[in-house]
Amino acid sequence: MASYGGVLRRSAAVVERARDGARRTRKALARFARPQSFAAPPDAEAAAVRAVRNLRSFRLHYAILLWVLLLASLFPRRRATMLFLMASSKIALFCGALLKAVPNSALLCRIVDRRLAAALVLAVIGVELVVTRAVPQFLLAMAIGVPLVLLHAVFRVRDDLTASGQEAASAGGGELGPIFEKKEDLELGSQ
């Protein structure tokens, strides 16, 4: 009976971690395309800084967008290639989830390296696209997706510089801005 308590506490921690991850994902999706978070950069240096920061922050969102565009470009004529890509993405997600679920496992980290698994999946996908002659669809998807990603990365403003964040910072003497931003994030998450 005592061992069940240890297992329950451990599983409760895993459930809590999953809940926190889902909450962060929902908050990131709400922030991803908020209309008031877009503005033209003042100069080229600011645009470059924004692009690098946003590419780092939203890399998963950008990857999903490019992946969906690739699958959509393959759909009408290359269904077998599309199904293969979907299966390989499931394998890659499974490897990533396994490494994230058990981060302290020395044996698992030795067997499956995240970068090695990603490089292997990308190599298999590249070979499969070449073999099935789907490279033109890949290039079309990237020609549409990469400019969209770059536009979003350049014009997306940091959340603490949006109008509501600036008003909250000026109204609170500058120190209450993060508190109001957290309150706004909580309100967005409850919707």
Side-chain angles (χ1 to χ4, degrees), residues 125-149:
I125 289 171
V127 167
E128 200 271 335
L129 286 173
V130 169
V131 168
T132 60
R133 297 184 181 125
V135 175
Q137 285 85 5
F138 172 76
L139 293 176
L140 175 70
M142 294 304 115
I144 294 170
V146 170
L148 287 174
V149 166

Side-chain angles (χ1 to χ4, degrees), residues 43-138:
D43 58 0
E45 183 180 353
V49 169
R50 274 189 202 175
V52 169
R53 186 189 63 244
N54 287 333
L55 286 171
R56 190 177 306 136
S57 298
F58 296 117
R59 65 179 174 245
L60 180 64
H61 297 89
Y62 295 149
I64 290 171
L65 175 70
L66 293 174
W67 196 251
V68 166
L69 287 172
L70 176 60
L71 290 176
S73 71
L74 292 172
F75 177 67
R77 295 185 184 151
R78 306 217 184 260
R79 289 190 182 139
T81 306
M82 185 182 72
L83 291 174
F84 180 80
L85 288 175
M86 290 171 67
S88 62
S89 68
K90 295 292 182 188
I91 292 170
L93 286 173
F94 176 73
C95 290
L98 187 64
L99 286 172
K100 195 159 193 116
V102 191
N104 296 332
S105 173
L107 179 64
L108 185 63
C109 289
R110 285 185 193 155
I111 294 172
V112 181
D113 182 36
R114 180 177 288 154
R115 291 181 184 153
L116 179 65
L120 182 63
V121 167
L122 287 176
V124 168
I125 289 171
V127 167
E128 200 271 335
L129 286 173
V130 169
V131 168
T132 60
R133 297 184 181 125
V135 175
Q137 285 85 5
F138 172 76

